[in-house]
Amino acid sequence: MIYHFIVTEEEEGQRIDLFLTRKGELSLSRAQIKRIAAEGKVSLNGQPVKVSHKVRTGDEVTVEKPPPQPMEILPEEIPLSIVYEDSHLLVVDKPAGMVVHPAAGNFRGTLVNALLFHVPDLAGIGGVLRPGIVHRLDKGTSGLMVVAKTERAHQELAAQFKRHLVKKVYQAVVYGDVKDDQGMIDVPVGRDIAQRKKISTRTRRGKEARTFWEVLERFKYATHLLVMTETGRTHQIRAHFTHLNHPLIGDVLYGSQRRFKTLPEGDLKEGVRKMSRPALHACELGFFHPITEKYLHFRSPLPEDMANLCYLLRSYSS
């Protein structure tokens, strides 16, 4: 497919790779754009161009998007909790512990492997290794995800995520007594300056990130929160609450072990130890259907491990 874009005044001065990644209908990453530009498939005013070139108002940028590559990831008969499905998309309730898409050293047992078994025509929609995937949840995060079954649905849903039109609501259990009943965290996040595996507010190249929250229940040693994200940065919720010194229970990467050591010895500590993943669940998801434009809204109950954690903390608070 060939796409044509005219640069507006607001877009002037952007690098071509950045300019194109902001076009939701393309659904291409900067790495993908760089690769196809190297193949001569990105042009500026009719001439091949490097992705580092900066555009000017009125420029015409043309992109020849290559057809989907053959899928090498194998379908696997893995049970899926499907909340909704039609010919354009499906909504799944992902369990904690399941990786969303294959990556180096992890090409089996993923959500994508399961989806390819359930939807054989999914291969190549939106990408080779991430067919149908419009957004993602961390391996340890449970909850609702929407998956596109057609290229058009993928493009339209990606555009909604880009324009912050998708409602994403989470439940989280964090250490400590969060000070206020509700609030917003508006602090940029990026790669941590010291620990590159972590996303942090201590970063040299932070991207804007906004997280809204309100208290659902207060415990003696923790707080149960409802969390909404306006932006969708990697590990955003985990990094933001670590910034507030309220890391998620079970989140070893983001400092929960230090807070865990402060708990009194006994049944409480042993019970909290069983929360072996970040206590984070994507409990609500709302978006406009990419074809019918009808608003769809879904809810997912708190999974058993988080429900048991809240019950335990509640019993020690009474």
Side-chain angles (χ1 to χ4, degrees), residues 140-200:
T141 303
S142 55
L144 297 169
M145 289 183 60
V146 59
V147 177
K149 294 172 67 175
T150 67
E151 193 67 40
R152 181 183 173 189
H154 191 279
Q155 293 172 6
E156 294 291 337
L157 288 168
Q160 288 189 49
F161 275 95
K162 190 175 184 64
R163 294 166 59 195
H164 309 306
L165 298 177
V166 179
K167 181 179 182 180
K168 298 171 290 181
V169 184
Y170 302 80
Q171 290 190 49
V173 185
V174 302
Y175 278 103
D177 186 9
V178 177
K179 182 179 179 181
D180 300 312
D181 290 335
Q182 60 183 20
M184 177 184 74
I185 309 169
D186 188 1
V187 183
V189 298
R191 289 290 172 187
D192 187 90
I193 57 176
Q195 297 175 272
R196 301 301 294 169
K197 290 185 177 182
K198 291 175 61 175
I199 300 299
S200 169

Side-chain angles (χ1 to χ4, degrees), residues 1 26-28 32 65-71 87-89 101 112 115-116 119-135 146-158:
M1 298 180 67
L26 270 179
S27 298
L28 291 175
Q32 289 173 315
K65 185 176 179 180
Q69 299 178 32
M71 172 56 65
S87 59
H88 306 285
L89 60 89
H101 55 76
V112 164
L115 288 169
L116 287 172
V119 188
D121 295 335
L122 194 66
I125 300 299
V128 178
L129 296 182
R130 306 180 185 187
I133 302 300
V134 186
H135 64 127
V146 59
V147 177
K149 294 172 67 175
T150 67
E151 193 67 40
R152 181 183 173 189
H154 191 279
Q155 293 172 6
E156 294 291 337
L157 288 168

Side-chain angles (χ1 to χ4, degrees), residues 29-41 51 66 69:
S29 67
R30 292 181 77 168
Q32 289 173 315
I33 290 166
K34 183 177 180 180
R35 184 169 62 252
I36 64 175
E39 297 171 355
K41 296 178 180 179
V51 294
Q69 299 178 32

Side-chain angles (χ1 to χ4, degrees), residues 37-66:
E39 297 171 355
K41 296 178 180 179
V42 176
S43 61
L44 179 69
N45 301 322
Q47 297 297 321
V49 67
K50 294 182 178 180
V51 294
S52 59
H53 189 91
K54 294 184 179 179
V55 296
R56 295 181 178 180
T57 303
D59 281 346
E60 181 182 29
V61 181
T62 303
V63 181
E64 182 182 345
K65 185 176 179 180

